[in-house]
Amino acid sequence: MTALLWPTLPTGLSRLRRIAAVVFAAQLVGFVIWSFALWSHFSLTDDYAVYWQGWWNLNHGHLNPYDSLGTFSFWRDHGVLLMWPIALVTHFGLGGLAPLLVQDLSVFAAEVLAFAWILRILREDAEAPPLPGWLLGGAALLFLVVNPWSYWAIAFDLHLDITLPAPFVVLALRALYYRRYRALATWAVLILLCGDVAASYLVAIG
């Protein structure tokens, strides 16, 4: 895992990585502040209510939670089975903020993993790129940080069926790129455990 995020890099890319660490950390702080604002001002909709009701029940030992809004068992709402182990271990006194923080961390992790992969590609490129590696990496960092869909994903309510598999998708693509098929199988299983929407991402990877 250390080699995954912190490979040995030339000076320019190493300096860019330090800048990126600060930028991504600031972005995560912004994500958390915004999520806290949504939660503390009750600015959430029935999507959050569905997830939080299931989350609360799982957290309190009800392993087949019922969704009173949709009037069906929670697992039938996109089948986000990975939420079971996550909800079972979130005894940190965070209350209803916990699912939103998991969503923030999922988007953050996907961005960091993608950027780490980009740095590795720039380091491994045998041919001289048309532009300096640090410049290409800086452009990639900019595109990742200003991508409006990252903010849109966490700005309005809670959609773990979309955000939770994001880091696994990046890791699956990376494993496929390097032909590490056992790792690909592992990430594919985790993607499928994130539900039916995530399964469509796996189709896209294929």
Side-chain angles (χ1 to χ4, degrees), residues 28 31 100-110 167:
L28 178 60
F31 284 174
L100 294 169
L101 295 181
V102 169
Q103 177 167 260
D104 294 341
L105 288 170
S106 297
V107 176
F108 166 78

Side-chain angles (χ1 to χ4, degrees), residues 89-164:
V89 300
T90 51
H91 296 282
F92 304 120
L94 296 172
L97 186 60
L100 294 169
L101 295 181
V102 169
Q103 177 167 260
D104 294 341
L105 288 170
S106 297
V107 176
F108 166 78
E111 291 183 340
V112 170
L113 289 167
F115 185 70
W117 182 16
I118 290 167
L119 289 181
R120 178 171 177 176
I121 290 174
L122 291 172
R123 184 197 67 179
E124 292 175 344
D125 194 357
E127 299 180 1
L131 294 171
W134 63 265
L135 184 59
L136 293 172
L141 174 62
L142 178 64
F143 285 131
L144 283 170
V145 172
V146 303
N147 175 17
W149 299 112
S150 295
Y151 301 95
W152 188 270
I154 64 99
F156 300 101
D157 215 23
L158 180 68
H159 302 98
L160 292 179
D161 53 318
I162 296 171
T163 56
L164 190 59

